[in-house]
Amino acid sequence: MKRDLITMLDVQDDILDILDLADRMKKERNKDHQPLKGKTLAMIFEKSSTRTRVSFEVGMIELGGFAVTLNSKDLQMGRGETVADTARVLSRYVSGIMYRAYEHSMVLELAKYATVPIINGLDNFEHPCQIMADLLTVKERFGRLSGIKMAYVGDGNNVCNSLMLGCSMVGMDISCGCPKGYEPDPGVVAKAKEIAWKRGSKLELMESPHQAAQGADVVYTDVWVSMGQEEESRMRQKVFNPYQVNAKLLSVANPRAIVMHCLPAHRGMEITDEVIDSERSVVLDQAENRLHAQKAILVTLMG
Ligand code: CP
Ligand code: NVA
């Protein structure tokens, strides 16, 4: 049976093993170990990408394989060929497919008809590869995950959904400070709460960014306007203005708190230059860890 990574829930049983593998892959980066020799990953992009595209491509090369980048507009899919047929055909050529999509349902549809593993490279609902890299980063900084307090401040979006699930799965507490009307998906909140309860950790939702950041070990934010929401920009900027991660907000966190952002950042909006360029910021480690975490995911799914 093939295995996919479409939601964080797909790694619920072995997330710590995958993170350990990522850690080892990072330490042994230059060793000549090519577990995916001769394998090919197709990468379909409906949206822009810097980190996802480059880290997956470099990751496949370092594992001995190869990656093919496909812009969805250039595929027949962009002219109406079904996702199901695209899945069936690509499965005859490649050993795995990474898909960056708008609709979560499209990723599920691709997975349903593909006979090779599907990896969600971000959709409107989740961004699991990002959160695997983020958890690896937290683990590096604190030497553990369980018991660390995460504060997520801003839009209850795809990153927030995956982060709530990921933190709950590894025993981290998470407080989300999101404006009314921009809370994370209630179904994901319920699921993450159930997992957190089993792990003895806590998930809280609140409107106040300061309350969320209070005593946090990690303060995480993401863009206010995600890809595909460009026409809501003005409205969103107004709503999210009080949610900026700046020195004042950080002053209520743990004095040794680190700051995270999945990037790309809109400096001066959700995060100030002062904060993102400070010693507390681990955004470049997060970006680098995309490579190591995804290599571990690729080996787990396609090895
Ligand atoms: N964080 C992230 O997914 O970055 P890209 O959009 O550049 O891939
Ligand atoms: N929430 C952002 C994440 C970008 C990596 C988006 O979906 O555009």
Side-chain angles (χ1 to χ4, degrees), residues 174-207:
I174 175 164
S175 301
C176 300
C178 307
K180 272 215 167 62
Y182 296 89
E183 296 94 348
D185 180 82
V188 176
V189 172
K191 187 73 201 166
K193 274 194 172 162
E194 182 191 314
I195 297 168
W197 185 80
K198 282 189 199 142
R199 299 277 188 283
S201 59
K202 211 165 60 187
L203 187 167
E204 292 175 311
L205 285 192
M206 53 202 71
E207 204 180 334

Side-chain angles (χ1 to χ4, degrees), residues 48-53 100 127 130 227 262-264 290:
S48 307
S49 169
T50 298
R51 282 143 287 268
T52 304
R53 177 180 171 168
R100 168 163 286 196
H127 195 0
Q130 179 67 51
M227 290 180 275
C262 59
L263 304 181
R290 290 294 300 275

Side-chain angles (χ1 to χ4, degrees), residues 47 100 122 127 157-159 222-223 225-227 262-264:
K47 296 170 171 169
R100 168 163 286 196
L122 176 148
H127 195 0
N157 59 15
N158 44 7
V159 168
D222 184 18
V223 292
V225 182
S226 283
M227 290 180 275
C262 59
L263 304 181

Side-chain angles (χ1 to χ4, degrees), residues 8-9 42-43 54-56 85 107-108 135 156 175 179 191 228 231 233 240 257 267 272 299:
M8 286 304 291
L9 296 171
M43 308 193 290
V54 179
S55 56
F56 266 109
D85 282 344
V107 185
L108 291 171
L135 293 176
S175 301
K191 187 73 201 166
E231 71 287 358
S233 288
F240 286 105
R267 289 163 171 261
T272 58
V299 169

Side-chain angles (χ1 to χ4, degrees), residues 31-51:
K31 299 227 174 99
D32 202 22
H33 177 54
Q34 302 204 310
L36 296 188
K37 200 170 169 60
K39 303 225 170 171
T40 304
L41 178 75
M43 308 193 290
I44 308 176
F45 288 95
E46 289 179 8
K47 296 170 171 169
S48 307
S49 169
T50 298
R51 282 143 287 268

Side-chain angles (χ1 to χ4, degrees), residues 3 11 18 41 94 147 151 154 168 174 187 212 240 246 299:
R3 184 173 172 193
V11 290
I18 298 173
L41 178 75
V94 300
S168 304
I174 175 164
F240 286 105
N246 51 34
V299 169

